[in-house]
Amino acid sequence: MRNKKLTIAGKELSSRFFLGTGRYPNPFVQNEAIKASEAEVLTFAIRRVNLGAPNEDAILQHLEGMSFTYLPNTSGATTAEEAIRIARLARASGLSDWIKVEISADEKTLLPDPIETLKATETLAKEGFVVLPYTSDDPILCRRLEEAGAAAVMPGGAPIGTGLGILNPYNLELIVEQANVPIIVDAGLGSAMDVAQAMELGADGVLMNTPVAKAKDPVKMASAMKHAIEAGRLSYEAGRIPKKKYATASSGFASFVSK
């Protein structure tokens, strides 16, 4: 059983909810959703941020007065070299030394490139970055990323933005079983049910953007996802009953038989 609080690279987090900052209807709704989520880690594409003046950036300036751990991502990169360059620029600007490696070579599926992701993770980890690579739900690849120095590994439940939920729970369970670093499910979730399932399978946390930002009511959805994460984690820690083919009465029939 893992520690009750999520710890990444020595940083202890009370929330297991990682939230994206894009695609909201407006900055006010974004802020209210962030508050409702109680997320401590926020992610955003580095290419959307003004690295020349990050404190004045159109995205980050709306978060003034709130304290977060920023997890900038390399969305838009198609090679390891691009992702490494973007990460170095973000750190040089003083934005963060945490980095979500996100490398997609296929515009249609946006599935992560496994070879380029592994290359970038190896290089950035050696350079002292706290690397959280977004990857596919391949147990072997997730293990290789951990061995390459990833502080946490972020397998997708389904392709980004599809809302299809966890397509391969078997693989996710294997990934969790073999991991010695936190596993954060990233991408493809659509509802509180999906989130609870991810947590019940043993995931240490969940990262999402579209399911909250594009919901009819992003603030309510942020709250729903927060509670689903908490409920799913409690269920995982409690331990579910085994599945069986036939029924078992909760009260024995013998108690109803007259003497």
Side-chain angles (χ1 to χ4, degrees), residues 41-112:
V41 178
L42 299 182
T43 185
F44 47 84
I46 298 170
R47 58 192 172 87
R48 293 172 50 225
V49 173
N50 176 13
L51 295 179
N55 292 331
E56 300 174 9
D57 186 85
I59 298 170
L60 303 184
Q61 68 179 351
H62 298 298
L63 305 176
E64 188 176 351
M66 294 184 258
S67 179
F68 300 99
T69 294
Y70 289 142
L71 177 62
N73 66 64
T74 64
S75 173
T78 57
T79 66
E81 289 72 20
E82 278 185 90
I84 292 165
R85 178 179 57 81
I86 292 169
R88 287 170 177 166
L89 286 171
R91 183 162 70 176
S93 74
L95 194 56
S96 179
D97 62 354
W98 284 41
I99 191 74
K100 175 188 171 186
V101 171
E102 187 172 333
I103 304 172
S104 301
D106 184 344
E107 292 185 7
K108 185 176 182 180
T109 65
L110 295 178
L111 289 171

Side-chain angles (χ1 to χ4, degrees), residues 13-48:
L13 301 166
S14 297
S15 172
R16 296 174 181 274
F17 194 172
F18 291 37
L19 187 60
T21 58
R23 310 196 72 190
Y24 290 89
N26 56 63
F28 175 77
V29 171
Q30 172 193 279
N31 280 13
E32 292 303 303
I34 290 171
K35 290 176 186 175
S37 74
E38 297 184 8
E40 296 173 80
V41 178
L42 299 182
T43 185
F44 47 84
I46 298 170
R47 58 192 172 87
R48 293 172 50 225

Side-chain angles (χ1 to χ4, degrees), residues 11-252:
K11 187 175 185 65
E12 194 175 82
L13 301 166
S14 297
S15 172
R16 296 174 181 274
F17 194 172
F18 291 37
L19 187 60
T21 58
R23 310 196 72 190
Y24 290 89
N26 56 63
F28 175 77
V29 171
Q30 172 193 279
N31 280 13
E32 292 303 303
I34 290 171
K35 290 176 186 175
S37 74
E38 297 184 8
E40 296 173 80
V41 178
L42 299 182
T43 185
F44 47 84
I46 298 170
R47 58 192 172 87
R48 293 172 50 225
V49 173
N50 176 13
L51 295 179
N55 292 331
E56 300 174 9
D57 186 85
I59 298 170
L60 303 184
Q61 68 179 351
H62 298 298
L63 305 176
E64 188 176 351
M66 294 184 258
S67 179
F68 300 99
T69 294
Y70 289 142
L71 177 62
N73 66 64
T74 64
S75 173
T78 57
T79 66
E81 289 72 20
E82 278 185 90
I84 292 165
R85 178 179 57 81
I86 292 169
R88 287 170 177 166
L89 286 171
R91 183 162 70 176
S93 74
L95 194 56
S96 179
D97 62 354
W98 284 41
I99 191 74
K100 175 188 171 186
V101 171
E102 187 172 333
I103 304 172
S104 301
D106 184 344
E107 292 185 7
K108 185 176 182 180
T109 65
L110 295 178
L111 289 171
D113 185 311
I115 297 171
E116 297 300 302
T117 298
L118 184 57
K119 285 181 185 176
T121 298
E122 288 174 331
T123 297
L124 293 172
K126 287 176 182 176
E127 293 183 8
F129 283 87
V130 177
V131 186
L132 287 78
Y134 163 57
T135 182
S136 62
D137 61 353
D138 180 341
I140 303 303
L141 178 57
C142 288
R143 190 169 68 208
R144 292 286 181 261
L145 289 165
E146 179 184 330
E147 292 168 352
V153 178
M154 309 179 78
I160 292 173
T162 60
L164 292 172
I166 298 172
L167 297 180
N168 196 333
Y170 175 77
N171 272 22
L172 181 55
E173 201 164 18
L174 286 179
I175 291 167
V176 169
E177 285 178 4
Q178 72 181 14
N180 295 302
V181 297
I183 300 299
I184 312 296
V185 175
D186 177 13
L189 306 182
S191 70
M193 177 181 71
D194 301 333
V195 169
Q197 182 187 19
M199 299 304 294
E200 287 186 313
L201 289 169
D204 293 279
V206 170
L207 186 153
M208 68 186 79
N209 188 170
T210 305
V212 174
K214 302 305 289 182
K216 291 180 180 178
D217 188 328
V219 180
K220 281 186 178 179
M221 186 60 78
S223 181
M225 297 303 194
K226 175 191 72 173
H227 290 300
I229 290 170
E230 293 171 353
R233 182 65 186 186
L234 281 173
S235 177
Y236 170 69
E237 291 177 347
R240 65 157 293 143
I241 63 170
K243 295 180 180 181
K244 296 190 296 183
K245 185 175 182 180
Y246 297 108
T248 301
S250 57
S251 299

